[in-house]
Every structure is written in structure tokens, then in C-alpha cells.
Amino acid sequence: MSERKATVASSSGLHARPASLFAAAAGEVGVEVTIAMDGAPAEDAMDASSILSLMTLGAEHGSVVVLRAEGDGADAALDKLAAMLETDLDAV
Amino acid sequence: MQSFPGVGVSPGRITGTIKQMPRPLAEPPAGEKLAAGTDAATATAALQTASKAVQAELQARAATARADAKAVLEATALMAVDPMLIKSAVKLVNAGTSAERAVWEAAEAVAAMLVNLGGYMAERATDVLDVRARIVASLRGVPAPGIPSSDQPFILVAEDLAPADTATLDPEKVTALLTAGGGPQSHTAIIARSLGLPAVVAAVGIDQLPDGTEVYVDGAAGTITTQPGEAERAAAAAWAANSSLLSVFDGNGTTADGHLVPLLANVGGAADAVKAAAAGAQGVGLLRTEFCFLERDTEPSREEQVAAYRGVFDAFPGKKVVLRTLDAGADKPLPFLTDATEPNPALGVRGYRTDTSSPGVLERQLAAVAEAAGGSEADVWVMAPMISTPAEAADFAAMCTAAGLKVPGVMVEVPSAAVTSESILREVAFASLGTNDLTQYTMAADRQLGPLAALNNPWQPAVLQLVRLTVAGALAEGSGKPVGVCGEAAADPALAVVLVGLGVSTLSMTARSLAAVGAVLATVTLKEAQEIATLALSANSPAQAKDWAREKLPILAKLGL
């Protein structure tokens, strides 16, 4: 199991357009990626490719979240998605 | 050739093909099981096919949508195939629930979760429910609910339209509105006038015509006919040529003999106000502040309110802006103010009356208005909706004074206020007739009900009598306090002349109607308007009042109004 922590950079948090862009990207990396707030138990992590999960996660600008994935390509996928979270997607 | 007589609510003559608005989707019955002979795997496959089809349709719509709508449609398209939603629906299918019921319940749970989060997330719950309806429609093989999408312009036919439909109604595609239900003051009528679309309501049977039927619509006469011929096509062409002349208002409302009648706009926010100012409005006669409260679970903050009001004030520097305080209740419920379980909400705790059940909201709104007015150059007047007695008027005036607002007024919508306008105007500085509600209360006819459309007509002589009484009370009061009209009646050019003849001093309407009302008013003298008003008052029916007034106004036929 690989893990990355990332700080949400989008000014509106992980809602609206940033959530759409991130969910779409998470659906395309080829491995199942989960997302949870930093400090929350791993079994409560949610599917990162689900826009509805992202919206109910309640991650605001500046929140720290944990991404997890397993298997081939997990590290590359997590690097890509963590970098995306640390970009202000509202400004894209 | 078939004819469908209805009530014309927004002028315009046009031919086109119709599309029916699909009926609202029925909920799959609770406990609905997989049909005999369908296994869970087949149902799951059908569900996935439907969810992908909905995603594809929403993506296609996003591709052609305007920027603001595009982002919402893209997010909604993703929701249609959302793993969390589909997984929980599949779980229910595996336990034996039908695919339709499974997605219904799964989406219900997600929507409830979003509602609990409040704010922006709560607003997105509507999108989840929209996606759910689309998936269920696709599973059933019926058209998705909502305004149909089309590459070609079409005439929209519906039972009636709700305020929420306005958001998705594209005036580039929809060329006219026809409804089987609804009355002259229904939301369909208000939407049509604000978009400048010809519209006929209460046209019984129109919702039975098949999609693609070609019809001719005359939104002034209130007629719809199938198989239009040469005469109808010529009339539509003449309207198209004429209507551009009716799109410019010079910003100077007056009768032929120079009696000034300022023509103001009804607006719901800053964007409306900017458009109204560009259309020549001489001020705002009705700022509907509930639009910044609607679809909210909690009261907007003072900062939000100040910004919303100032946006409108800034569009009219040096001009009058009449702000109506929060008018919640009846057809405009608000979770934090109104009680949805009232058996008779039109006669319930609504408008100014919510100040007794939820004290503080109005006081905070007035403080926000005063702050916004303080930083602007507009001449800000404030009025309360649903005032029934002089005591309520006095209380409202005292609240305005306490907030530092100098010009308090009242809406006259309840017949008791019209009858006692002299006493009421001793307490406040002005009155504004809200003809939509005044009509429904005078005639005891719910404005949303199609079968009551004939009663619910502002041309009813009883309603005109109450307008006359309100003006008479203002004269008797003695200090020349103005009585305006800010209901839909002011947007009807013939009725506008009658109102001026009855002594109304300003008319406020949707900005689209300013040019037509201004053009017709400029053809009559004040004395002629008074004569036409006397005629209308003496009529036996709204149809007779309207016919008599129109006979004296040949300009209407000439302009196709």
C-alpha cells in the first residue's frame, strides 16, 4: 500500500469544478485510489474517482488529505494525483 | 385545423413546431422487486448502460453550453456514473430490488448526505436528484424530465412551468410558451414576459398535441391554431418586423399631453438591474429581495445582503429604487422562515407576517438595506409585502425609522389594505399595488390554478375598483402620497392605460415591457385614460373591460399588442 499526503490548494476546496477535474483524473489512472482526511482511519477512506464522495469528504482549501493505492503503477498514480491536489484547480 | 383558445399573457405572433415537456417522473414504488425472469446481473447491466447513456447525454449538452452552465453539466455528467452511487445501487439490486428503485434509493441517501452538509453541497443535492430522474427515465425508456433539448428552435408546451424551469429554459431555442394549466399570473406568464416570449396559458387540451405539430400562436389574443396558412404566416412575419420597433424605450414615460408616469422595472438582483437600466427603466419599482434568500437553508449574512442590494442600487445612481422586504411563504417557501405544513399557505404566515413568527430576520434585513443605501447614490424606498392593517403599517414604519431608512411604504395586495388605504397612508410614505396577489385575494382564486384563470384576471372590475379605492384613500389622506403599481398588470399596455386613468402615479414592470407600455401610453391624454378607466370600471366582466379599453386604443392592433 502506497500513501501520499497532499494539501488542497484550490481556493474553493475540493468541491465544484476542482472535484470534477480530480474525480475524472482519478478515474483514469488505472488503479483504485482512495482519499481520506488526514488522521481519519484508513477503512473510512473513499473512492477518489467518485465526485459524490469527494463532495461529502468536505475538504476545504488548506485541508490535508491522504491518498492510498496498491499494485502496479500505484506510486506514479499517487504522484500525479497529489500534484493535482496541490495545484489551484479553480485557476485552471 | 384545430383551435385552442386560452389566455394570452405575453404578446407576439409566431409559427413553429411544438415539443411537449415530459410529465414529472413517478417514483418507483417502495419495495419494488426485480421483475420475474430478470436476474441481478441483467438488471445491473441495464443500470450501467442507463448511467452511461445519461453521462453521454449530459456531456453532449455540456459541450454546447455557456461557460457557467458547462461546469455544472460536466459535474452532473460525472455524477451519473459515480462509483459510490452505482455501487450502492448495485448492492440493492443484488438484494433483489428493481434497478429503478435501487438507483432511486441510492441517490436519495446521497442527496440527504449533501443536504446535511448545507450550503453549496446542499444545492448540489438537486443535481443528484436530477441525475436520478434521468437514469430512471432511461431505464424505463421514457423521455427525461425537464425542458427537452433540441438543436432546432421549438415552441414549448407544458402543463405549467415552475420557477426552477427558468434556469434551464434557453430563449435561443424556445420561441414561445403554451400551457394547458396556469393563469395570467402564473409563473409561466412571468417567465414569458421576462424573456419576451409569446405565451398562451390555460389552453385546455394543448398538452395532448403530438410533438412536431406545427402551430400558430398569437400571444396577445390568446389563440393557438394548428396547420397555419398564408394569413398566419404573414401575421407572424409582420410581428417579427414590428417587434424590433417595440424594443427601445426612451426612458421618459408620459401621456400624449405630458402627464408624467415614470416607468420602472421589477428586478430580482444586480444582473436584472443592469439590464433594466440599459432598457431605459426610470428606476426600480420592485426589488424582490427573496431571490437572494431562495434555496437557502439559513438566513444570508449581513455582508451578503449588503452586497446583493448595493449591486442593484449602483445600477440606478440618482434614481428611485423601491426595495420590497423578504416575501416568503405560499409559492415561495423558505425553510428557516415558513411552515411548509400550513393547510392554506396563501392565507398563512407569509410576507410581513413572518416577522411575528421569526422576529429578527426583518430587522436584520432593514439594517443591511440601510448600510447598502448609505454607500450608494440611489434614492432608496422600502416597502413591506402583505400588509393588512394600519397597525402593521405603523409597526413597519417604526422599524424602518429605527434602521435609519427614510421612506417606508407598503404593498397593497390584501383587499383590507386597499379599503383602508387612507388610514394606512397616514402611517407610511407611499403604497404600491401588487396586482397579482391583490387579484387572487379579491377573487379568492389561487393564482396557480388553471381552472380559475378566468377569475384570476387583473381586468376583473372588482380588482379595478380596489385600485380606484386605494388611490381615493391616498387623495383623502391629503399629503399627496404616491400610489404605484408593481404587479404584472402594469406590463399589459392596455391595462397600464386604465391604471394611469385610475390615478396610479408610477408603473413598474418587467424591463421587456417598458417599450410597449411607453409607446401606447404616449398615444393617449390623461383625460382619455380617465375615460377608458371609467369604461373598464363599469364593465360586467374582465373580457368586456379589456375589449372596451382596447377599442379605444387602436394603436394596440397596429403594433400587434
Side-chain angles (χ1 to χ4, degrees):
Chain A
M1 174 75 73
S2 305
E3 243 185 64
R4 296 285 184 286
K5 282 191 187 180
T7 306
V8 175
S10 296
S11 47
S12 65
L14 205 45
H15 317 143
R17 189 151 178 273
S20 298
L21 295 172
F22 182 76
E28 284 165 7
V29 291
V31 290
E32 277 196 23
V33 181
T34 66
I35 186 167
M37 297 296 277
D38 188 24
E43 62 266 27
D44 286 355
M46 298 198 270
D47 188 337
S49 68
S50 161
I51 183 169
L52 295 171
S53 297
L54 295 177
M55 285 165 61
T56 52
L57 185 67
E60 305 295 338
H61 172 76
S63 295
V64 178
V65 299
V66 185
L67 300 174
R68 296 185 181 89
E70 266 182 313
D72 281 353
D75 285 303
L78 292 183
D79 287 340
K80 183 179 168 207
L81 294 176
M84 196 168 175
L85 284 179
E86 301 205 322
T87 310
D88 182 358
L89 297 174
D90 283 315
V92 177
Chain B
M1 192 176 92
Q2 265 182 295
S3 286
F4 296 88
V7 178
V9 293
S10 180
R13 293 169 180 166
I14 196 167
T15 59
T17 54
I18 65 156
K19 265 185 186 288
Q20 296 279 353
M21 178 117 155
R23 310 247 147 215
L25 201 76
E27 173 177 348
E32 188 179 72
K33 296 288 163 206
L34 288 170
T38 306
D39 59 17
T42 313
T44 299
L47 179 59
Q48 277 160 347
T49 307
S51 97
K52 287 202 181 99
V54 170
Q55 179 193 32
E57 204 232 309
L58 291 171
Q59 273 172 344
R61 279 180 52 193
T64 59
R66 293 182 306 258
D68 51 338
K70 192 186 183 89
V72 173
L73 283 167
E74 279 171 348
T76 318
L78 269 180
M79 288 178 194
V81 292
D82 190 87
M84 172 166 87
L85 175 68
I86 301 301
K87 270 181 200 160
S88 67
V90 168
K91 222 173 174 178
L92 290 167
V93 169
N94 285 333
T97 306
S98 75
E100 290 90 336
R101 184 67 202 177
V103 73
W104 191 271
E105 286 179 15
E108 190 82 43
V110 176
M113 223 166 6
L114 292 174
V115 166
N116 279 335
L117 290 170
Y120 170 83
M121 296 302 160
E123 290 166 34
R124 299 279 75 77
T126 322
D127 301 341
V128 175
L129 297 179
D130 177 56
V131 159
R132 165 176 88 171
R134 288 173 182 282
I135 294 176
V136 172
S138 171
L139 282 166
R140 287 181 181 163
V142 300
I147 292 172
S149 59
S150 167
D151 301 336
Q152 298 300 319
F154 62 96
I155 293 173
L156 181 64
V157 183
E159 166 56 28
D160 196 6
L161 295 176
D165 296 320
T166 342
T168 49
L169 199 158
D170 177 359
E172 301 286 310
K173 288 282 157 60
V174 176
T175 57
L177 300 177
L178 309 177
T179 63
Q185 335 252 12
S186 64
H187 287 292
T188 301
I190 295 170
I191 292 167
R193 285 186 207 116
S194 72
L195 295 174
L197 296 175
V200 177
V201 302
V204 176
I206 194 69
D207 54 342
Q208 305 302 323
L209 275 188
D211 276 4
T213 307
E214 192 183 17
V215 297
Y216 167 71
V217 177
D218 184 333
T223 54
I224 305 161
T225 46
T226 59
Q227 296 168 316
E230 278 315 305
E232 283 81 17
R233 286 183 207 289
W239 167 263
N242 243 335
S243 61
S244 59
L245 299 176
L246 284 175
S247 61
V248 192
F249 173 55
D250 65 3
N252 184 26
T254 173
T255 59
D257 56 336
H259 171 69
L260 297 182
V261 183
L263 301 186
L264 315 170
N266 295 350
V267 304
D272 269 8
V274 169
K275 271 190 228 160
Q282 294 173 266
V284 170
L286 172 62
L287 166 57
R288 300 183 172 103
T289 56
E290 59 275 13
F291 282 83
C292 80
F293 289 77
L294 279 182
E295 290 175 20
R296 302 277 303 234
D297 293 330
T298 53
E299 184 183 342
S301 70
R302 172 144 168 174
E303 293 71 36
E304 278 177 87
Q305 293 193 46
V306 170
Y309 307 149
R310 184 160 299 155
V312 175
F313 299 163
D314 286 350
F316 288 94
K319 302 224 170 106
K320 180 165 90 172
V321 175
V322 183
L323 178 145
R324 177 177 71 189
T325 57
L326 189 54
D327 185 19
D331 56 332
K332 291 171 290 197
L334 277 182
F336 59 93
L337 263 185
T338 56
D339 173 4
T341 64
E342 280 182 349
N344 205 344
L347 301 183
V349 180
R350 55 167 301 199
Y352 174 74
R353 301 166 179 186
T354 57
D355 187 53
T356 54
S357 57
S358 308
V361 177
L362 179 58
E363 199 181 333
R364 289 188 286 277
Q365 182 179 26
L366 291 173
V369 174
E371 184 182 337
S376 91
E377 290 167 43
D379 178 16
V380 177
W381 296 19
V382 186
M383 63 184 180
M386 287 293 288
I387 291 289
S388 314
T389 65
E392 286 177 353
D395 289 345
F396 180 70
M399 288 175 85
C400 288
T401 307
L405 290 160
K406 293 188 183 64
V407 193
V410 297
M411 292 278 291
V412 174
E413 302 164 283
V414 182
S416 66
V419 174
T420 60
S421 71
E422 179 184 348
S423 313
I424 284 181
L425 280 167
R426 285 212 185 91
E427 309 295 343
V428 292
F430 70 99
S432 182
L433 288 147
T435 46
N436 307 358
D437 275 329
L438 182 61
T439 305
Q440 88 163 341
Y441 293 130
T442 303
M443 305 310 297
D446 188 326
R447 58 194 266 208
Q448 307 298 333
L449 288 182
L452 302 180
L455 285 177
N456 215 321
N457 185 326
W459 282 97
Q460 284 283 357
V463 176
L464 301 179
Q465 286 289 359
L466 286 180
V467 173
R468 183 186 66 79
L469 274 177
T470 308
V471 173
L475 288 175
E477 190 275 335
S479 49
K481 292 178 178 172
V483 175
V485 169
C486 64
E488 293 294 309
D492 172 341
L495 192 44
V497 169
V498 170
L499 294 169
V500 169
L502 289 171
V504 160
S505 57
T506 57
L507 298 169
S508 188
M509 65 202 78
T510 174
R512 289 265 183 188
S513 300
L514 290 165
V517 170
V520 173
L521 197 57
T523 65
V524 292
T525 63
L526 179 59
K527 187 159 174 293
E528 284 164 348
Q530 287 164 342
E531 286 162 6
I532 294 170
T534 306
L535 263 181
L537 279 173
S538 68
N540 264 332
S541 69
Q544 195 175 49
K546 188 174 181 174
D547 287 348
W548 284 357
R550 291 183 68 92
E551 268 171 35
K552 299 280 179 188
L553 295 164
I555 179 83
L556 293 169
K558 204 167 136 198
L559 294 175
L561 289 167

